[in-house]
Amino acid sequence: GFTSKALECPGSEPYSQASLLFSNGTLASKSQFGLAASGGGTEVKGSMTLAKFNELKLGQTSAEVEAITGPCEKTSETNIGGQESFTLTCYGADGLSNAFLLISNDTLDSKNQFGLT
């Protein structure tokens, strides 16, 4: 009695795409990579730093997190069984370093970083 369907939708820029997951005909999860730069060819650059990353504490609200990080890219959203979550990718000034943050039910649940200085 349970059906699922996944769609992979390529973007207009190299390596960009959207992924959609349907559960019993309802969109349950969506994620994307590189779509923010689509159309304009603008590189993704941000203001995330290691100091900002270290200020983030598990249990903070999404508003508290975004007050520290500044603008980030929402890279996925999920709502399964009433549990809502989303991920934020916050880029460093070089456009390559980043922090990956998981927010579940408005609370920072997980944080990872790559190459932040």
Side-chain angles (χ1 to χ4, degrees):
F2 178 79
T3 61
S4 65
K5 181 177 183 176
L7 299 175
E8 298 290 327
C9 309
S12 61
E13 298 294 320
Y15 308 110
S16 64
Q17 74 174 27
S19 299
L20 308 171
L21 176 65
F22 294 86
S23 175
N24 288 333
T26 301
L27 182 63
S29 179
K30 63 181 183 175
S31 63
Q32 64 90 16
F33 179 79
L35 296 182
S38 296
T42 306
E43 291 182 30
V44 178
K45 294 189 178 183
S47 62
M48 190 64 182
T49 64
L50 186 57
K52 288 181 181 182
F53 179 82
N54 289 334
E55 282 184 59
L56 298 171
K57 304 295 180 218
L58 298 183
Q60 289 176 318
T61 66
S62 59
E64 292 170 325
V65 167
E66 292 179 31
I68 293 168
T69 63
C72 295
E73 183 177 6
K74 188 179 278 189
T75 48
S76 73
E77 294 179 68
T78 304
N79 184 338
I80 297 177
Q83 298 293 318
E84 295 183 14
S85 64
F86 61 92
T87 57
L88 296 174
T89 302
C90 308
Y91 292 95
D94 62 3
L96 299 174
S97 59
N98 64 71
F100 183 77
L101 311 174
L102 173 63
I103 310 287
S104 296
N105 294 321
D106 199 44
T107 301
L108 179 62
D109 275 350
S110 176
K111 65 178 195 166
N112 296 290
Q113 66 91 14
F114 172 78
L116 292 174
T117 57

